[in-house]
Amino acid sequence: MTTALSPVDPDSYRTLMASHPGGVAVVTTHDGLGTPYGFACTAWCGVSLDPPLLLVCASNTGSTLPVLAERGWFAVNLLHGAGRRAAEAFAHRGAGRFSAVPWVRSPATGLPLLPEDAHATAECRVHRLEPAGDHTVIIGEIFRADTLPGTDQGPLLYGNRRYAEWPSP
């Protein structure tokens, strides 16, 4: 006997997803005029070693996804424990995200990077876009990966609706 099931409600989904912490990243790109765009996410992970692929999930209603899809390039800034200001700035919609934190353009791709708030960065070319409900899964091939010197802080985590820092090695 099969029981008809319905998807969980949005509050149950949020509670489930908040119950397990994830590393915080800020995904950035720029438009054809060089205007930077970005968003914070915990929905990212490695996909493949050969070729080197990672994925991030972007809201279909955000301003960054259409720019990222058109440009075909993006950066993933993995935040360290002191990067909470960047996480909070990029978690909210609206202008002013890039005025809230220091950033630079990558010499290799021109992508916006957050060197004061990230412990590592990856610069990626879009490999595939896959619609998934109210988000799009973006798979990127990594063309440049850097671990940034000068920070002894562990990664920034988000779970149970709060930030925490993974202990330093």
Side-chain angles (χ1 to χ4, degrees):
M1 181 169 103
T2 303
T3 304
L5 294 176
S6 298
V8 298
D9 61 89
D11 287 337
S12 296
Y13 177 81
R14 285 185 190 101
T15 299
L16 171 70
M17 298 310 292
S19 71
H20 190 78
V24 182
V26 171
V27 177
T28 59
T29 191
H30 62 82
D31 66 16
L33 299 174
T35 304
Y37 289 79
F39 62 91
C41 76
T42 55
W44 67 272
C45 68
V47 174
S48 167
L49 182 61
D50 186 19
L53 302 175
L54 60 72
L55 72 75
V56 298
C57 296
S59 171
N60 292 337
T61 60
S63 61
T64 304
L65 179 59
V67 174
L68 188 154
E70 181 180 322
R71 296 301 291 169
W73 285 85
F74 64 98
V76 179
N77 297 269
L78 304 179
L79 301 185
H80 56 63
R84 182 174 173 170
R85 67 180 173 175
E88 291 173 342
F90 285 87
H92 302 289
R93 294 181 188 260
R97 295 173 181 166
F98 284 91
S99 63
V101 297
W103 63 280
V104 298
R105 291 197 186 276
S106 162
T109 61
L111 291 165
L113 302 177
L114 310 176
E116 291 186 24
D117 294 297
H119 66 87
T121 60
E123 296 171 59
C124 307
R125 182 177 64 193
V126 173
H127 179 76
R128 182 174 175 187
L129 299 173
E130 187 66 38
D134 61 2
H135 279 63
T136 295
V137 177
I138 304 160
I139 298 175
E141 185 170 7
I142 304 168
F143 280 84
R144 184 177 174 96
D146 291 305
T147 302
L148 304 175
T151 181
D152 58 353
Q153 298 193 320
L156 182 65
L157 303 175
Y158 185 77
N160 293 321
R161 295 183 172 84
R162 66 179 189 261
Y163 293 99
E165 181 182 342
W166 185 269
S168 305

